[in-house]
Amino acid sequence: MRPSETSRGLVWLEQFEQDDREAAAKLIDSLRFVPGGDVIAGVRRATEDFVLSHPQRTPVALVPVLAHEDLRPRPGMHLSDRPTVFEHFDPSQDLDSEPGSEALMAHLVNEVRRATPQELLVPTPLTLEGLRGVRARTLLFLTDYIGSGHQVITYVDAWCRHPTIRSWRSFGFIRVVVMAYASTIAGKRLVEADTHIDALELVEVAPALGAWTRIIDDPKIAEVCRLYARRGRLRGAPLGYQDSAGLFATSFSVPNNLPAILIRRSPRWMPFFEGRSVTATLAEEIGEHHPDIEVADEVAAVGDARLAARYREGGIEARWHDYLGLLALLPKSEEEIALALGLTIPEVRSLRSVVVRLGLVDQSGRLTPAGKQTLVSNRRKPRIVSAGLRPDASPYYPRLTR
């Protein structure tokens, strides 16, 4: 069910003036909502695949990402703005009484440990001596969602600030990899640009206001977010933490980078997500929700009006639907293509590998002459040829015989 059609959504929309309700409905219908179990299963599958497919990078230390405000200083230590792991805090600390996504990741680590050969993983609890004793080769940081990217970077930096970890990285003894279920495009690029992070692995790209897609690149939506945050006297940035304007939530957690009108309460305003949580009723009503994807609009946005018309007419065979969309959107990045086509990152990579093998795209990601010809041929409407015969129900009698 669309979020705007849920019982909660209908009540939430009543707060808007009539002229603004369409934009408000478009905002909540642009949310990517994932059942929490799917998030855990996705990260677990990606984690196990990573460990088993990179034996040369084992043993792997599985590290749930903690927010700075959740770090507990070690006895006698003061937690500054730039803490260092093993010196100022213990990475295996007990979680708060009201933990967030870090508790889910901690549970996931336990499940992965039960299903994975122990020699491939660093023993818990994680200590510097334990890492050194087994000669750990990879620090794999786990999180469910990357919004602005600052939380992940801050926590990874706290590890790489330790002189021993820094030394191991400089000699190439250990690599730092971040594993997340979803990330905004802005968060993904910020994490990948961090010098302490060697690789980022994702399951899917999460939408955000202003991201490269026709669905949510609507200035009216951001205008409504700012206007009603001001009217409701809501605390924090109108577009969420760091103004990253995320549009991703799960039945287990609601990030703080969603627009304020979705997550903040005041005497004048009722949020869509009460207390940054999701009730069982709301989760059941929404189920798994993808924003509506109109591939024709995405293709038209890059200037291919004729191919977009073929999509609208239903002239593209279902089996070629995503392949042609991919060809039309190149040379956009894989995260932009995933968001525009409503696909996961692994699905986009699979599509790209197929078109490369078919000779439609070269190794640099550019269309080959064969790829360009494929687009040209699919822009044309099929030619209908008639033999000029007219139907006749009368019996047939031969006029000549030999």
Side-chain angles (χ1 to χ4, degrees):
M1 180 184 294
R2 292 172 181 267
S4 63
E5 297 171 350
T6 62
S7 55
R8 179 77 178 184
L10 293 173
V11 174
W12 182 76
L13 288 172
E14 290 178 359
Q15 301 174 106
F16 296 86
E17 295 180 7
Q18 195 65 40
D19 292 344
D20 296 327
R21 287 186 183 178
E22 181 180 353
K26 192 174 181 180
L27 170 66
I28 55 174
D29 288 342
S30 297
L31 283 167
R32 170 69 172 113
F33 189 85
V34 188
D38 291 354
V39 174
I40 297 300
V43 178
R44 176 176 176 177
R45 188 182 307 111
T47 300
E48 291 177 353
D49 289 347
F50 178 89
V51 173
L52 296 176
S53 62
H54 296 80
Q56 73 282 7
R57 300 307 312 174
T58 58
V60 176
L62 303 178
V63 188
V65 172
L66 299 176
H68 184 273
E69 57 270 19
D70 293 330
L71 298 179
R72 295 181 178 179
R74 302 183 76 176
M77 299 298 297
H78 172 68
L79 201 62
S80 65
D81 291 336
R82 290 172 55 84
T84 300
V85 71
F86 302 126
E87 293 182 1
H88 300 106
F89 70 93
D90 182 357
S92 298
Q93 66 181 43
D94 293 332
L95 299 177
D96 291 336
S97 58
E98 297 182 2
S101 60
E102 66 274 9
L104 301 178
M105 294 300 107
H107 175 71
L108 181 147
V109 167
N110 291 333
E111 294 299 317
V112 171
R113 297 192 67 83
R114 293 190 185 99
T116 306
Q118 294 303 299
E119 64 272 14
L120 300 180
L121 301 175
V122 175
T124 56
L126 295 178
T127 63
L128 188 62
E129 294 71 22
L131 292 171
R132 182 184 289 113
V134 298
R135 296 186 178 182
R137 301 299 307 277
T138 303
L139 295 176
L140 187 59
F141 292 87
L142 306 175
T143 186
D144 59 342
Y145 172 63
I146 299 173
S148 66
H150 289 279
Q151 177 175 309
V152 169
I153 288 176
T154 299
Y155 190 63
V156 170
D157 287 354
W159 277 72
C160 295
R161 200 173 289 126
H162 193 283
T164 301
I165 303 293
R166 187 168 62 245
S167 174
W168 289 346
R169 288 199 69 245
S170 65
F171 283 104
F173 296 153
I174 201 167
R175 296 181 80 244
V176 173
V177 180
V178 174
M179 178 78 69
Y181 181 84
S183 172
T184 62
I185 291 178
K188 178 178 185 291
R189 291 176 177 172
L190 189 66
V191 169
E192 289 177 330
D194 190 84
T195 57
H196 294 145
I197 298 173
D198 299 303
L200 170 63
E201 299 289 337
L202 290 179
V203 177
E204 65 176 76
V205 176
L209 287 181
W212 185 86
T213 173
R214 300 285 291 178
I215 308 170
I216 49 182
D217 191 15
D218 184 348
K220 175 68 173 178
I221 297 179
E223 178 185 333
V224 165
C225 289
R226 294 188 178 95
L227 174 62
Y228 285 87
R230 186 166 60 251
R231 288 187 183 181
R233 297 183 180 178
L234 303 178
R235 296 180 295 105
L239 297 182
Y241 180 74
Q242 296 285 331
D243 278 330
S244 51
L247 292 171
F248 178 87
T250 76
S251 58
F252 286 164
S253 64
V254 178
N256 66 351
N257 74 323
L258 271 69
I261 59 175
L262 294 178
I263 59 176
R264 303 291 184 190
R265 170 175 282 280
S266 77
R268 297 187 176 192
W269 190 257
M270 180 194 74
F272 180 69
F273 293 114
E274 183 64 54
R276 284 183 53 197
S277 64
V278 182
T279 65
T281 300
L282 181 59
E284 185 177 347
E285 284 187 283
I286 299 178
E288 181 181 7
H289 176 71
H290 284 271
D292 291 335
I293 299 294
E294 289 293 341
V295 177
D297 292 343
E298 308 297 336
V299 172
V302 296
D304 201 333
R306 292 179 63 189
L307 185 62
R310 296 283 289 137
Y311 270 102
R312 293 191 180 99
E313 295 165 359
I316 306 296
E317 289 187 51
R319 59 177 176 166
W320 302 117
H321 195 272
D322 291 336
Y323 289 101
L324 288 173
L326 171 70
L327 295 179
L329 296 175
L330 289 174
K332 297 293 184 181
S333 65
E334 66 179 18
E335 61 262 26
E336 290 173 332
I337 293 173
L339 194 57
L341 298 181
L343 302 174
T344 65
I345 292 290
E347 287 171 341
V348 171
R349 290 174 179 168
S350 177
L351 291 178
R352 293 188 75 155
S353 67
V354 171
V355 295
V356 168
R357 290 199 304 270
L358 292 174
L360 305 180
V361 176
D362 61 26
Q363 293 295 334
S364 64
R366 299 282 178 174
L367 287 174
T368 63
K372 294 177 181 177
Q373 183 57 42
T374 299
L375 287 177
V376 169
S377 62
N378 281 277
R379 292 181 186 122
R380 302 192 193 104
K381 292 183 179 180
R383 184 181 178 187
I384 301 176
V385 180
S386 173
L389 301 176
R390 290 178 296 179
D392 189 347
S394 61
Y396 170 70
Y397 293 97
R399 296 182 180 182
L400 295 174
T401 59
R402 292 184 182 271

